Amino acid sequence: MSRLRWVTAGESHGPELTAVLEGIPAGMPLLASDVNEDLGRRQRGYGRGGRMKIEQDTVLFAAGVRNGETLGSPIALTVKNRDYANWTTRMAAEPLAAEPEPVTRPRPGHADLAGGLKYNRKDLRDILERASARETAARVAVAGVCKTLLRAIGIDVFAHVVSIGDIAVGALGLTLAEVKAASRRSDLSCADASKEPQMREAIHAAAHAGDTLGGIFEVVATGVMPGLGSHVMWDRKLDGRLAQALMSIQAIKGVEIGLGFEAARVRGSCVHDPIGYNTATRRFERPTNRAGGLEGGITNGEPVVVRAAMKPIATLKRALPSVDVRSKEAFDAAHERSDICAVAAASVVGEAMVAIVLADAVLEKFGADSLGELKRNVDGYNKQLREF
Ligand code: EPS
């Protein structure tokens, strides 16, 4: 069962985001710069709002790391909210000098109303501050540690955007390494440079109309050994765990693994990946990877490929009809500064969630207290696979 435990805390305009990650082995080299690069990538993307000009996300390891190495103890991570300086009169933990203007007109599609009803909060700011996707910076920080662990045993995780609104990438005809490199060069994390201008135009047009835009991203993990996850129990199936992790990201409404929904439209012979054996590498290989690297809830040695669909952001300048929760009168929903399109940022968060799930599954299979022990266990298993 799960070997990694982690929680995040923090409001969007509060002092900082905090995360605690427990279960990472001792002796793993870890620098803040390993995490900061991904934090920076999460802030990028054409279509983001003014907030990203204020924040410059960097991580501070407040526990669990000493002299550039993990200790095996819980790792505490913090990311400052620079914008808090502008919100002290509204967001301080101590009683506020004056009652701040409450948010009372819930945005359709946001957690505002459902959360307000559940927690009995009539100032909907008490809900939206935590529901905000600002929280994902903490997830990306946690994942930066997990990705360092995965890299140490040859696993790489990356994400790229495959559509924005109704503009989709074409057939890429690139290797996975080329897809990664091309998407990293792109402001929209998109590997198809020919489609990027149309995507930007679609975002620009949505902004002009006071509207927002969603899209789809794909996460790929390479170097994954067969045997992570298990077929024996529902909650150990890795496909289910990945789907849950991706669905937990703010604004995600759909997840596909491999061929996904398309597999339901065609015959089995067009879905399942024939099995071959490479005597040189002593590996079972597939000419196709329509399963997205997962069969029976277990990795099969092919790259793990998952996609997630993000709905358009719920904060609309041209606001939708809503109701004031105090007076019950009809009003347009509240509008706050926000993003127009955050699919590129969400792709970095998707990459993070997949990395966390894979690191957990790795530790579950190879359980280790030190990085050296983990590597020995992985080497022993690889020997077993070669001799199978
Ligand atoms: C968000 C609204 C915007 C985004 C924010 C998510 O923030 P603000 O209301 O301060 O302009 O910028 O995303 C981040 C702060 C971030 O770091 O990604 C929302 O309502 O979800």
Side-chain angles (χ1 to χ4, degrees):
M1 302 310 284
S2 257
R3 293 290 299 253
L4 278 181
R5 294 190 290 167
W6 61 285
V7 291
T8 71
E11 277 67 47
S12 179
H13 303 98
E16 65 184 33
L17 302 167
T18 310
V20 177
L21 169 63
E22 198 260 333
I24 294 292
M28 183 178 86
L30 183 64
L31 302 173
S33 55
D34 296 334
V35 174
N36 289 342
E37 193 191 327
D38 284 350
L39 287 174
R41 283 201 300 126
R42 197 200 65 90
Q43 290 198 260
R44 287 195 320 171
Y46 184 74
R48 304 227 56 192
R51 176 77 182 273
M52 288 305 101
K53 294 193 177 69
I54 300 172
E55 304 299 341
Q56 282 171 23
D57 295 342
T58 51
V59 74
L60 171 80
F61 295 125
V65 187
R66 176 169 174 249
N67 194 22
E69 282 194 3
T70 56
L71 301 176
S73 54
I75 300 174
L77 311 97
T78 63
V79 178
K80 292 273 176 224
N81 287 327
R82 289 166 66 118
D83 203 18
Y84 177 61
N86 305 315
W87 286 78
T88 49
T89 57
R90 287 169 286 177
M91 289 300 295
E94 294 300 305
L96 302 171
E99 203 61 38
E101 183 65 29
V103 177
T104 58
R105 297 169 193 177
R107 291 160 292 177
H110 213 282
D112 302 348
L113 180 60
L117 291 170
K118 176 175 170 67
Y119 288 92
N120 197 21
R121 308 304 290 175
K122 288 222 169 113
D123 180 356
L124 302 176
R125 179 159 301 289
D126 289 349
I127 303 301
L128 71 88
E129 283 289 333
R130 179 63 184 161
S132 162
R134 175 72 187 149
E135 182 261 347
T136 61
R139 302 194 199 198
V140 169
V142 166
V145 179
C146 295
K147 285 169 88 178
T148 305
L149 179 98
L150 294 173
R151 264 196 307 273
I153 55 167
I155 298 174
D156 185 47
V157 187
F158 71 92
H160 63 113
V161 169
V162 295
S163 68
I164 298 281
D166 62 0
I167 314 292
V169 297
L172 289 173
L174 301 173
T175 65
L176 291 177
E178 288 166 345
V179 172
K180 178 179 176 180
S183 63
R184 290 283 162 97
R185 283 194 297 270
S186 152
D187 191 24
L188 282 173
S189 293
C190 175
D192 185 349
S194 73
K195 287 289 163 59
E196 210 181 300
Q198 282 166 268
M199 289 177 171
R200 295 170 80 89
E201 178 47 40
I203 295 168
H204 180 77
H208 204 69
D211 221 321
T212 57
L213 214 51
I216 299 174
F217 62 81
E218 180 173 273
V219 186
V220 180
T222 58
V224 183
M225 64 284 283
L228 301 184
S230 176
H231 64 292
V232 304
M233 196 55 66
W234 67 271
D235 59 349
R236 295 183 58 190
K237 288 177 180 271
L238 199 67
D239 41 11
R241 289 156 64 179
L242 286 166
Q244 196 277 331
L246 287 164
M247 286 295 287
S248 78
I249 300 170
Q250 289 81 341
I252 298 303
K253 281 299 202 183
V255 175
E256 291 186 320
I257 295 183
L259 212 51
F261 275 52
E262 182 58 23
R265 297 187 193 106
V266 292
R267 292 185 176 167
S269 55
C270 302
V271 171
H272 304 297
D273 306 306
I275 301 173
Y277 188 71
N278 184 329
T279 46
T281 59
R282 296 205 201 166
R283 275 178 44 111
F284 292 93
E285 287 178 352
R286 313 299 181 94
T288 53
N289 183 22
R290 295 180 288 230
L294 284 149
E295 290 170 307
I298 311 174
T299 54
N300 64 6
E302 298 299 317
V304 171
V305 183
V306 295
R307 289 184 171 205
M310 182 184 199
K311 69 183 180 182
I313 281 164
T315 309
L316 305 181
K317 205 171 230 166
R318 214 183 58 209
L320 291 172
S322 182
V323 167
D324 189 294
V325 294
R326 288 174 306 185
S327 68
K328 314 295 186 290
E329 278 178 73
F331 280 102
D332 283 346
H335 177 261
E336 304 213 348
R337 173 193 64 190
S338 193
D339 304 317
I340 306 299
C341 177
V343 181
S347 75
V348 180
V349 183
E351 178 182 307
M353 292 307 291
V354 168
I356 294 170
V357 171
L358 290 180
D360 186 31
V362 160
L363 290 168
E364 182 179 285
K365 174 138 184 62
F366 302 107
D369 295 312
S370 69
L371 187 65
E373 187 177 16
L374 176 68
K375 286 182 172 173
R376 276 199 309 280
N377 293 349
V378 171
D379 286 347
Y381 179 64
N382 284 334
K383 184 166 175 286
Q384 173 192 310
L385 292 176
R386 282 193 302 276
E387 291 169 357
F388 180 79

